[in-house]
Amino acid sequence: MRSRQQRRGGGDHLSSFVSVAAILWVVLPVAAAKAFDYKDALSKSLLYFEAQRSGRLPYGQRVTWRGHSGLTDGLQQGVDLVGGYYDAGDHVKFGLPMAFTITMLSWSVIEYGDEIAAAGEYHHALEAIKWGTDYFIKAHTHPYVLWAEVGDGDTDHYCWQRPEDMTTPRQAYKIDTENPGSDVAGETAAAMAAASIVFRKSDKHYSHLLLHHAQRLFEFADKYRGKYDSSIREARSYYPSWSGYEDELLWAAMWLHKATGTPQYMEYVVSNGEGFGGTGWAMTEFSWDAKYAGIQILASKLLSVGNFSAAQKRVLKQYESKGEHYICACLNKNNGSNLHRTPGGMLFVRQWNNMQYVSSAAFLLTAYSDYLEEAGRDVLRCPAGAVRPQELVALATSQVDYILGANPMGISYLVGYGRRYAMRVHHRGSSIVSYKSSNGFIGCMQGYYDWYGRRGQNPNVVTGALVGGPDSHDRFRDHRGNYMQTEACTYNTAPLVGVLAKLHQQKSHQHLQEVTASSSLSYLEFA
């Protein structure tokens, strides 16, 4: 991983190959329409989070090439910060993207818990969430203190080591009343509020504990306002808060309303809608940094189930309008402000790690399609024409299928899925022989000398990782040093969990209908 602020362009050395591939893509549409095993993809996606675990791994750890790591995190500061997730291919624990990952995993379970359970993955989904929320409980050591980062990108990137061999400094960084961070505190509050809904049935005590932390964190975020990257400068080059903290405050309040039903949180969303940009910003992306589209979709869904005053409904309708701008932009149905698409059909926002925007768009499209049907709305009226709910699901499906291999390169960008996938992921633990196979210490620079530059595939498959993916012309270079395309992040995979579960359920239902119809036809012929 390199600085998230860099936006360098890629080379053109694959132009000729991709041109031929694009022609074949047009000539051979049947290849693009092949059936995908969404259940298998779902299982692999949840497995990825086990590869990203920091701390003392549990007995039931399924990713066996990983071992314990970061066991002294927080020791220097006198606090227990063991656990949590590494965000990508390095070993820094960045609080903002980690919290967004848990929010999206929780939202997936809230929306599609039955479908995840039907696929046999409900327990694994809850385990993935709890690994994050357990860490957040530790990191929230005082009502107005949150430890928001362990390690720093500059020193971490100097070394190429397995997490089990880490020799880089594990300095921990916090926000407090004098050094605020409303964005990271707000996102962590959102994550814990959403997770409290998930655990409400299975573990009421844990659910209450999460909600308590969420409420205190929101109070902290709102009372002591400021951007976290002004307090933790080490985060600026990696996860800068470009969108500010206002979206996270609205996001947290929205999730707290869903978790508690308390009027104060909805009133906060309504009264701050204009001032914080919730009813003003018309976005074409949804990410760890920019939450507005997610807030607006949540507001839309609340309209169909909540009992609100006329004044509140008017503001929520304004949120809904901006949320529909995002949906219409994905569908290419706005007049002018649409998401770019590659020749192969992938939604494209920017060159670096574009797949994060693809997976988050697929989730919001799927969730909004469900909302339209639940609300009895047959069509969504976009500026450039009306669309039916099924068209939203169709676009979401096309994006998932592109990820899984229906693309001009014919490669799966979900590692470990299919016969051909990214083999040289920019990931330290994956690219170096497992310590269980070779437990000799690998030093800071030794990893660069002996492993980073190898042309062969990674010795350990980081199954379920969604890599950054191709450029705006569908070109992808599977090279370990090509971190803009071959690095995976937890927040890339998290939104896929719900979508894959939904698509698996939909496919199973269609198959059952086909079998039933075929059986009925056979019976009639026999009769």
Side-chain angles (χ1 to χ4, degrees):
M1 182 180 71
R2 296 296 187 269
S3 165
R4 277 358 185 244
Q5 288 179 286
Q6 300 172 38
R7 296 285 183 245
R8 294 200 293 270
D12 262 347
H13 56 281
L14 290 177
S15 299
S16 299
F17 174 79
V18 174
S19 296
V20 173
I23 292 170
L24 291 173
W25 181 252
V26 174
V27 174
L28 302 173
V30 175
K34 69 176 183 178
F36 291 102
D37 188 341
Y38 301 122
K39 183 177 184 293
D40 183 47
L42 170 62
S43 299
K44 286 178 164 58
S45 295
L46 286 166
L47 196 62
Y48 168 60
F49 296 99
E50 297 190 25
Q52 296 303 108
R53 285 171 170 169
S54 178
R56 184 169 296 278
L57 303 185
Y59 177 77
Q61 171 80 7
R62 295 179 296 163
V63 179
T64 56
W65 52 266
R66 277 295 323 281
H68 308 314
S69 64
L71 298 182
T72 60
D73 283 358
L75 181 64
Q76 196 176 348
Q77 288 74 35
V79 59
D80 179 6
L81 296 175
V82 177
Y85 287 110
Y86 302 123
D87 76 303
D90 52 21
H91 306 135
V92 184
K93 295 192 292 199
F94 291 102
L96 183 58
M98 192 195 305
F100 180 67
T101 296
I102 300 305
T103 307
M104 292 309 299
L105 282 172
S106 298
W107 196 0
S108 288
V109 173
I110 291 166
E111 294 289 336
Y112 303 111
D114 289 343
E115 290 85 348
I116 293 171
E121 294 294 336
Y122 192 78
H123 176 68
H124 293 138
L126 264 59
E127 280 187 333
I129 294 168
K130 194 171 186 294
W131 194 266
T133 52
D134 282 352
Y135 174 77
F136 296 147
I137 291 170
K138 290 182 175 184
H140 186 209
T141 54
H142 180 276
Y144 294 162
V145 174
L146 177 68
W147 294 87
E149 183 175 327
V150 179
D152 75 88
D154 291 345
T155 58
D156 187 89
H157 289 180
Y158 183 74
C159 298
W160 193 265
Q161 289 178 287
R162 300 175 297 201
E164 297 82 8
D165 291 328
M166 264 193 293
T167 57
T168 50
R170 301 300 287 173
Q171 174 73 32
Y173 304 89
K174 66 180 178 180
I175 56 169
D176 54 27
T177 57
E178 295 182 0
N179 303 282
S182 301
D183 28 29
V184 68
E187 182 60 61
T188 308
M192 298 180 94
S196 76
I197 300 172
V198 170
F199 288 100
R200 189 177 290 161
K201 290 182 179 179
S202 61
D203 191 337
K204 287 186 178 181
H205 173 75
Y206 191 65
S207 174
H208 286 311
L209 178 62
L210 292 175
L211 189 56
H212 172 75
H213 279 279
Q215 290 172 317
R216 298 290 79 77
L217 279 167
F218 176 71
E219 178 185 319
F220 171 35
D222 189 43
K223 186 173 182 178
Y224 298 94
R225 295 181 184 179
K227 290 174 58 177
Y228 92 108
D229 58 357
S230 295
S231 299
I232 304 175
R233 296 177 181 270
E234 289 76 9
R236 280 186 179 178
S237 296
Y238 301 91
Y239 289 99
S241 186
W242 293 113
S243 69
Y245 57 77
E246 292 85 357
D247 54 337
E248 278 85 9
L249 288 176
L250 292 172
W251 182 238
M254 190 73 77
W255 279 110
L256 280 164
H257 170 77
K258 281 184 67 68
T260 67
T262 305
Q264 72 181 76
Y265 296 117
M266 178 49 60
E267 188 54 38
Y268 187 95
V269 170
V270 169
S271 61
N272 290 292
E274 181 178 357
F276 285 1
T279 59
W281 281 107
M283 305 297 291
T284 54
E285 71 174 75
F286 174 51
S287 68
W288 59 265
D289 178 40
K291 314 293 169 26
Y292 286 110
I295 297 163
Q296 292 154 357
I297 296 301
L298 269 180
S300 303
K301 291 175 73 67
L302 286 174
L303 271 170
S304 64
V305 297
N307 184 22
F308 305 112
S309 68
Q312 288 176 325
K313 285 182 179 179
R314 279 196 298 272
V315 176
L316 289 175
K317 289 293 288 184
Q318 293 172 19
Y319 275 100
E320 180 182 63
S321 174
K322 298 305 179 183
E324 290 184 348
H325 176 277
Y326 173 84
I327 298 296
C328 294
C330 292
L331 292 161
N332 202 30
K333 290 287 187 176
N334 279 332
N335 289 327
S337 180
N338 292 308
L339 266 73
H340 175 70
R341 294 195 195 186
T342 66
M346 177 184 67
L347 295 173
F348 189 84
V349 175
R350 57 179 57 92
Q351 185 170 319
W352 194 312
N353 188 21
N354 184 67
M355 279 303 180
Q356 64 176 305
Y357 308 108
V358 176
S359 63
S360 62
F363 181 88
L364 290 187
L365 285 162
T366 305
Y368 204 69
S369 171
D370 290 341
Y371 157 68
L372 290 174
E373 293 189 344
E374 290 165 4
R377 293 175 58 183
D378 295 332
V379 296
L380 167 63
R381 302 198 181 280
C382 295
V387 292
R388 295 186 177 278
Q390 298 91 324
E391 294 178 63
L392 277 65
V393 176
L395 177 57
T397 304
S398 74
Q399 298 307 297
V400 172
D401 289 354
Y402 186 105
I403 288 170
L404 298 182
N407 56 68
M409 295 291 290
I411 185 173
S412 168
Y413 296 111
L414 189 74
V415 178
Y417 178 87
R419 291 190 297 178
R420 185 168 178 252
Y421 50 84
M423 298 281 195
R424 299 166 187 84
V425 183
H426 184 91
H427 189 282
R428 284 159 174 77
S430 171
S431 68
I432 302 174
V433 63
S434 171
Y435 87 103
K436 292 184 179 180
S437 301
S438 177
N439 61 7
F441 177 75
I442 294 177
C444 171
M445 299 304 293
Q446 185 183 350
Y448 276 116
Y449 299 145
D450 294 348
W451 295 96
Y452 181 78
R454 289 195 177 195
R455 294 186 178 182
Q457 66 187 58
N458 288 358
N460 308 305
V461 180
V462 59
T463 301
L466 177 57
V467 297
D471 64 16
S472 60
H473 298 285
D474 299 297
R475 296 173 298 194
F476 178 77
R477 186 166 61 95
D478 189 9
H479 189 281
R480 203 167 294 113
N482 182 21
Y483 44 82
M484 284 194 288
Q485 294 190 328
T486 63
E487 188 168 30
C489 301
T490 56
Y491 48 85
N492 293 15
T493 298
L496 274 185
V497 170
V499 183
L500 289 167
K502 169 76 173 183
L503 295 182
H504 168 64
Q505 181 267 344
Q506 189 177 65
K507 185 177 177 181
S508 298
H509 182 66
Q510 290 172 347
H511 177 68
L512 181 62
Q513 287 182 320
E514 290 169 2
V515 169
T516 302
S518 176
S519 299
S520 298
L521 183 60
S522 299
Y523 175 79
L524 289 172
E525 289 176 347
F526 177 78

